[in-house]
Amino acid sequence: MSTDNPLLTALPPKTDYPTYLILLEYNLTPALLPTLHDVLQDPTLTTNIGWDLIHLLLPLLPASEICLNDVARLGNPREVVLKVTESLRQIDFGVGGQDKVEGEETPSEEPKEDELLGSMRRKLQADDAESREIQVTGGTTSSTLGGSSNTVAEPQEATLPLPILQFTSLMSLLSVVHPRIKTKYPSRFLSMTLQAVLATYSEAVRTPHAEEVTSAVLSFIKTISGSKRPHLPPRQSSSQIPRAAKNPTAPDPEAHAEPPSSTETAIQSRLLQSLLTHILEDYILSLPTSDDTPGLAWASRFDEQANPKKAVPGRATYGARFAKDEVLRLRDTTVGQIIALSRDLSITSEDLFLGFENPDTTTDTAATIGEESDPPSSVEDIPLSRTGALYLFTARIAAAQLLDSSASLPTFHTFPHHATAVRLFIGTDAAGGMSSAGTESLALIDTILALGLYTLHNNVIGSPEDDEQFTQYLQTLSLLSANTPSPALRYNAHILTSQILHSHPSDLLRLSFIRDTLEHCPYEPLKESAISWLKTEILTSNPPPQSTTPNTTEKPEEEKDNEEPSIFTTPIALDTLAPYLFPSLTPSFSLAPITEAYQSFKLNFGFYIAVLNLYYLLLTNSHIRQKLDIPALHSNHDIGATFIAPLAQAVDRFREGLQGGGELATEEGVEGVRVGLSELGILEDRLEVVRRGVEVMNGV
């Protein structure tokens, strides 16, 4: 070491500690970090100044990592914890990656500094420019044990922004310094730390480096909780930050001789449990939705597993995508770590169930975790994240379902459990009521639908408390099928709604729900769903006659006589629904101005096609036509004159308006005209097949 090195010539006791700190602030550069590392091996010096070096060392990462580790090992642990939590809250993950650490002024305030200090800060920034980016090996598998690495692919360079490096480094420091604190009330320090961790993580996880910051937090929780589960090996990503080797730590100079009470231990455990649920909530909500893959796509994967024959040839299933796509597979891996860690923390499924289904004991405001507040005095003061508890509960079920795990599954039925979850998370008063159903985060909707499909596929539906609970549940699910922007989730919601509706034993209630949807629902896609429900009811209740074979088992006549026929086996059901299935269209299409009529047509196009397809089935299926008396339905409600004929006339009127510079052509534009003519062609084709069906019915 050079004897004229200012870090050595001014070492205490040659100067006092405040003076030495000022000298470091003016002179510390990346080149002097090795010298500082040697200096910090003096426990007395590090105890007195270590905590005040953190804000100087953070801008110099990754080169300063080893010095920060020295501070965590040998500095006063209580002072270091305070400084680390303060530094966490000051990290700026905004555009440009400029980090606000103590001692740095904003550019607008820089002229107020004295000339020497401003010069030194600019020098530090210049010296730091080469060290702000860390180069790591991508596509390799490295082992920090024994300092060996095995290359399995060509190396490539990757970088981490300085704010991410600072976050992961500070989490590493907390893992070292927290176990050193020996006090009667360690939960007070832990509570303060976790509030800062969650507040900062909530910002960090929304950067492109969500996996790196999540891994850092999970490693911290494992260390603090004393989990024996080994940490995962370094990922093949830019998260491979060099870490200093583990070295002995200094004792707490203010150590308390009396060990913490059992209450204190329980509070610390509950704090970590709560943090984990909040971390999972923020992580899942941060996942980008690309290629219609919301969150973990649990709902679609559950449905694929239960109905493998639905797979579309040539299109990758969600299960295959999560198995092959590295980004999606990493989501499963991260959530898998959280599931395992939750068991290490003794979070039971009952804890999670109560956490998201009991609004009186849980809150999403995170009054204790995430926001600065007084330390908790009891376990009851520490809530789990309601949404995080829901995610973790579902993740455990998904792990068992999708991975064929031997883990026991919690008791969870459609009624009352899933119905309660739907009521608490979808279309809530806080979000704007039922009109907001479907506007929730896609990951949350996916989770809710996955739980519903789990109960459906495992035939654990249960019984609703009353008809009101049943219809309210179906109305909410049906709104998801209409309003959710994700096609996959709309489909899952439709499947769940349809099958739960058909599971109810009362045919009158089923008919009533279908009628209410057709009559009152303002969403046209839901009316199309209602027609699908009606079609299922008709086909299920009116199977084709079975031919007599030696294996045919006939029910005894007395048993047939005792069965009450379903209303869908009689003309009553269709007669009741006819005004809403076949409304009179003459005023809408013949009397209204063409632009107004065409807008109404476009809005209801899907409904018209669904009705015509259903009507063609009723007309051409001789068994159903006879049993439900379709000729009487056709004549009694004058369907040909009030519904079919106005549609046919509208096709001619709208086609004329779209072609040859007609009134609609200018308003719709080139693309609008193309789509409009295509829809008119489809409708014309459906009208023709219905016309032929009417001829078949009339014996023409």
Side-chain angles (χ1 to χ4, degrees), residues 58-79:
L58 285 176
L60 302 180
L61 281 169
S64 61
E65 181 79 16
I66 192 169
C67 294
L68 285 167
N69 186 265
D70 293 331
V71 171
R73 291 189 305 108
L74 304 175
N76 184 316
R78 301 164 192 243
E79 298 291 348

Side-chain angles (χ1 to χ4, degrees), residues 619-630:
L619 291 167
T620 57
N621 186 306
S622 59
H623 170 66
I624 293 178
R625 182 176 69 236
Q626 179 181 0
K627 196 170 184 181
L628 302 187
D629 198 1
I630 302 304

Side-chain angles (χ1 to χ4, degrees), residues 280 296-299 301-302 305 331-343 349 352 390-410 450-451 454 458:
L280 179 59
L296 278 294
W298 284 321
R301 290 199 274 173
F302 279 11
Q305 185 185 59
R331 296 183 186 183
D332 269 346
T333 300
T334 298
V335 174
Q337 291 182 64
I338 294 176
I339 293 173
L341 189 52
S342 73
R343 294 197 172 100
S349 294
L352 298 172
L390 176 74
Y391 287 148
L392 187 50
F393 184 86
T394 310
R396 287 182 171 183
I397 289 178
Q401 288 284 103
L402 301 175
L403 303 178
D404 195 23
S405 170
S406 59
S408 60
L409 293 173
L451 284 176
Y454 161 74
N458 287 276

